[in-house]
Amino acid sequence: MSEESHSHHISHDHNPHDHSGHVDGHGGHGPVVHGVAADVAVSYTNAVEAAVPAHGRSVVQVDLVAGEIDWEFVPGQVTRAWGFNGQVPGPTLEARVGDVLEIRLTNNLPEPTTIHWHGLQIPAAMDGTDMVQHPIMPGETFTYRFRLPDAGTFWYHPHMNETVQLERGLYGAIVVRGENEPRFDAERVLVIDDVALDRNGEIKPPGWWIEHHDGRQGSTRLINGRQEPELAIAAGQIERWRIVNASSARYVRLSIGGKPFTLIGTDGGLIDAPVAMKEILLAPADRAELAVGPFAEGELVSVDALRYDRKTAARPHDERFATIRVGPPVPSQANIPAKLRNIEPLIEVDATPTRECHLGFKLSLKHGVDFLINNEAHHRDKPVKVGELQVWDIINDTMMDHPFHLHGFFFQVVSVNGEPPAFRSWEDTVNVPPKGRVRIAWVPDDRPGEWMYHCHILEHHASGMMAHFEVVR
Ligand code: C2O
Ligand code: CU
Ligand code: CU
């Protein structure tokens, strides 16, 4: 869904609201350490004014309405859910690099919300966290506006009370196209999620401490908001699949009937060269772009999440997400070059880290369990300077996986437990294995302000496995 507008002059009737009260954005978990900076209105206005399309590009305007809806996650069974524009996922936002996206978000939910543009390298004022804007109260409208700097598959979701708002269905994909994209026969966006439904088909309320510890993993498995859909594809075709893992906590070890596919992109767009594989692990918030096919007419291929043990109470087993039905053949026009993009490594594997981020947890009388960064729930980390190389070691002191997500800036994965990755890429989310160490490198460009990083298992984020830090000039 995209609406083109060629006007560069748009009136901004919705400015940040001047609420004086403080709202904790974590659904009541953890200490209240969040507060909106005093100059939030100035930063917002500056960001709006700076958002001008690149030469020859345009402003893409979208209206998003977050509200309660009746949705059939399971065909034939109506569930009270929350969605953007009446659907789960919300509409896929499509634009090109250099376009300006202008989104007017109306909050028809019974509680405050904001939207975070996961993976977009945009100004801090547009990041949608409770550090950079006031919550959008029920009945209010707020306008986000920014220029799209990178091609790739991104997503949007609320950044308030996420364990409830995302679980009920508030999320959607963003597709940004670049100049030299490989050619495919077709493209599809697959947003993966799961939901925990009760006997009446309603979403179960948040659970107790095991769910806090493990993260919620529902047994109704969804692609694009539907339980185990059937996907039709013509024989002989090679498609580009843009996959987003929007689950609260589920790790998807994706397999397409055990057949080979080709990885062409990850969080930050195309990787350096295609990689053939038979499975790929998608941690919560991860994206992958795959070249899928060709299949033979009459094939029935199961799209599965293979057994993955992330050391939680749930017993892991293979689970189906969709079935592909292959129809009569159509000749392929696809063309995937051997080299997709040039990605220069920022550092050598043995470079000295400039910072360590320890992921941990401790039992708490109040919450059952608190999740920590450097021994603190809702940590305040040291600032970083624009232009200064960052080499961070993310160290997992726990016995379970944590997907580490950095807001607003791509990083390179330098090593996982000392081993360099199999391909070069830009990422915003990386899995940190149990007791593991992941080294990342990144350089903050000139977008000063309040940023954060956190575990993307939503329950862990809510219970404190997150840190704020400032990018300073
Ligand atoms: Cu998708 Cu703060 O994250
Ligand atoms: Cu926080
Ligand atoms: Cu975690």
Side-chain angles (χ1 to χ4, degrees):
M1 189 205 93
S2 65
E3 294 158 36
E4 298 279 328
S5 149
H6 295 278
S7 154
H8 295 182
H9 303 281
I10 289 168
S11 63
H12 310 288
D13 41 342
H14 302 284
N15 284 314
H17 321 284
D18 216 7
H19 303 298
S20 38
H22 173 84
V23 178
D24 177 25
H26 293 270
H29 293 287
V32 178
V33 293
H34 307 259
V36 170
D39 59 355
V40 60
V42 177
S43 310
Y44 174 83
T45 309
N46 290 344
V48 166
E49 280 165 6
V52 175
H55 182 72
R57 302 304 329 150
S58 53
V59 176
V60 177
Q61 287 178 302
V62 181
D63 282 302
L64 285 182
V65 180
E68 273 192 287
I69 60 170
D70 286 328
W71 187 254
E72 295 185 14
F73 291 112
V74 179
Q77 180 184 69
V78 174
T79 300
R80 203 67 183 146
W82 289 359
F84 289 111
N85 296 6
Q87 61 182 78
V88 181
T92 297
L93 310 183
E94 295 189 49
R96 302 192 66 87
V97 171
D99 283 343
V100 163
L101 249 193
E102 184 178 89
I103 303 107
R104 281 167 34 109
L105 171 68
T106 299
N107 180 10
N108 283 346
L109 302 169
E111 63 180 50
T113 194
T114 58
I115 299 186
H116 170 56
W117 312 94
H118 184 125
L120 298 185
Q121 303 195 98
I122 56 180
M126 297 295 166
D127 196 43
T129 68
D130 53 356
M131 297 298 289
V132 299
Q133 73 168 98
H134 294 286
I136 306 162
M137 303 307 279
E140 287 183 347
T141 297
F142 182 86
T143 302
Y144 294 93
R145 184 180 160 109
F146 42 80
R147 187 205 277 203
L148 295 165
D150 305 288
T153 306
F154 309 100
W155 62 303
Y156 60 97
H157 63 74
H159 220 278
M160 295 197 71
N161 198 15
E162 289 109 306
T163 53
V164 170
Q165 296 193 10
L166 273 80
E167 172 71 3
R168 294 197 181 165
L170 291 169
Y171 55 79
I174 305 171
V175 172
V176 185
R177 292 174 211 287
E179 281 306 316
N180 294 305
E181 301 272 0
R183 192 169 76 219
F184 285 90
D185 298 313
E187 180 180 295
R188 57 179 101 205
V189 173
L190 302 179
V191 186
I192 297 174
D193 189 16
D194 61 48
V195 65
L197 300 176
D198 68 16
R199 285 172 190 287
N200 302 317
E202 296 303 336
I203 296 171
K204 289 184 188 162
W208 297 105
W209 79 271
I210 291 193
E211 191 174 291
H212 274 289
H213 178 270
D214 292 358
R216 171 178 280 214
Q217 192 160 318
S219 57
T220 303
R221 299 176 302 279
L222 309 172
I223 286 192
N224 297 340
R226 303 284 184 207
Q227 181 183 39
E228 295 169 57
E230 190 172 288
L231 312 171
I233 181 171
Q237 298 278 282
I238 301 177
E239 295 192 341
R240 180 180 193 159
W241 285 16
R242 298 174 180 267
I243 304 173
V244 180
N245 184 358
S247 329
S248 301
R250 181 187 287 269
Y251 277 64
V252 177
R253 201 179 131 208
L254 188 79
S255 155
I256 305 175
K259 294 170 182 296
F261 54 78
T262 304
L263 179 72
I264 61 159
T266 57
D267 299 343
L270 296 173
I271 58 177
D272 60 336
V275 182
M277 39 181 73
K278 281 190 175 158
E279 59 174 73
I280 184 169
L281 182 65
L282 295 171
D286 260 337
R287 281 90 67 213
E289 294 193 25
L290 309 180
V292 175
F295 300 105
E297 184 172 1
E299 272 190 287
L300 214 52
V301 184
S302 167
V303 178
D304 298 315
L306 301 177
R307 175 183 201 283
Y308 183 77
D309 187 0
R310 60 183 189 91
K311 310 283 191 308
T312 57
R315 278 249 324 280
H317 49 279
D318 294 1
E319 291 175 293
R320 173 173 302 159
F321 270 83
T323 304
I324 307 171
R325 185 177 291 277
V326 186
V330 175
S332 177
Q333 308 287 322
N335 176 23
I336 307 157
K339 175 93 186 163
L340 294 166
R341 183 185 186 183
N342 197 35
I343 299 178
E344 290 298 335
L346 288 173
I347 58 163
E348 301 298 322
V349 176
D350 56 4
T352 315
T354 57
R355 178 176 302 202
E356 287 190 344
C357 308
H358 284 265
L359 313 180
F361 81 105
K362 68 163 193 280
L363 299 178
S364 133
L365 284 178
K366 223 161 118 205
H367 313 122
V369 53
D370 271 337
F371 284 88
L372 314 169
I373 304 267
N374 293 347
N375 281 319
E376 187 179 38
H378 302 276
H379 181 53
R380 163 57 69 174
D381 208 342
K382 298 181 290 282
V384 302
K385 256 208 178 118
V386 169
E388 260 178 22
L389 174 68
Q390 303 297 310
V391 183
W392 291 10
D393 270 11
I394 322 297
I395 301 155
N396 185 348
D397 294 331
T398 77
M399 291 300 296
M400 65 195 295
D401 294 88
H402 298 286
F404 171 92
H405 167 50
L406 173 65
H407 275 221
F409 301 87
F410 295 153
F411 54 80
Q412 293 181 354
V413 177
V414 180
S415 61
V416 177
N417 293 333
E419 292 296 317
F423 50 84
R424 286 189 195 155
S425 65
W426 291 104
E427 306 290 341
D428 59 56
T429 305
V430 62
N431 185 46
V432 191
K435 294 285 176 185
R437 176 186 293 254
V438 173
R439 179 166 300 165
I440 64 168
W442 61 288
V443 180
D445 60 309
D446 190 22
R447 285 174 297 125
E450 282 290 341
W451 296 96
M452 64 169 67
Y453 60 82
H454 58 82
C455 175
H456 219 287
I457 290 177
L458 302 179
E459 289 76 7
H460 296 179
H461 176 200
S463 331
M465 193 175 273
M466 59 89 61
H468 310 276
F469 67 97
E470 201 179 349
V471 172
V472 296
R473 283 189 170 136

